[in-house]
Amino acid sequence: MVTSDPMVIINVVVCSAIVLRLMFFYKAGARHQRWASWLAYLIILAYASVPFRFLFDVYAHTHWAAIVINVIFCAAVWRAKGNVALIFQVLRPRR
């Protein structure tokens, strides 16, 4: 039985928005950065687990702090248009 807890549903929608934006990132003419690709891949795997667990009725409870963090990260992902390299410039290797 799928839960109807509004906090859970909000978190599932936010996590899905993050995953979809990262999955469909494309910047014409951009130079490929391997570290950013792998980081995006890991973030997609982590955030995609929430909607999948919800669909398989394993995700029944969340905390408001997790929702706040996910909303902030979702805003950053959408602001950067899915460009992980822009979000994590601090992690960019120096040359």
Side-chain angles (χ1 to χ4, degrees):
M1 182 171 171
V2 177
T3 184
S4 61
D5 182 8
M7 286 188 8
V8 169
I9 294 171
I10 290 169
N11 200 35
V12 168
V13 168
V14 169
C15 290
S16 298
I18 293 169
V19 168
L20 289 172
R21 187 60 184 123
L22 289 175
M23 282 177 56
F24 292 109
F25 169 72
Y26 177 75
K27 188 172 183 180
R31 190 172 63 93
H32 179 75
Q33 296 181 0
R34 185 173 297 178
W35 71 269
S37 298
W38 279 104
L39 185 58
Y41 178 71
L42 293 173
I43 293 169
I44 289 169
L45 286 179
Y47 275 102
S49 71
V50 173
F52 278 118
R53 287 186 295 155
F54 179 76
L55 289 174
F56 291 110
D57 205 22
V58 182
Y59 189 71
H61 181 69
T62 190
H63 194 268
W64 64 268
I67 295 172
V68 170
I69 291 168
N70 291 341
V71 166
I72 291 169
F73 188 68
C74 183
V77 166
W78 281 86
R79 174 90 163 99
K81 299 178 182 170
N83 191 345
V84 173
L86 281 178
I87 299 169
F88 294 99
Q89 282 183 342
V90 176
L91 301 177
R92 183 175 296 173
R94 302 206 193 276
R95 293 184 183 209

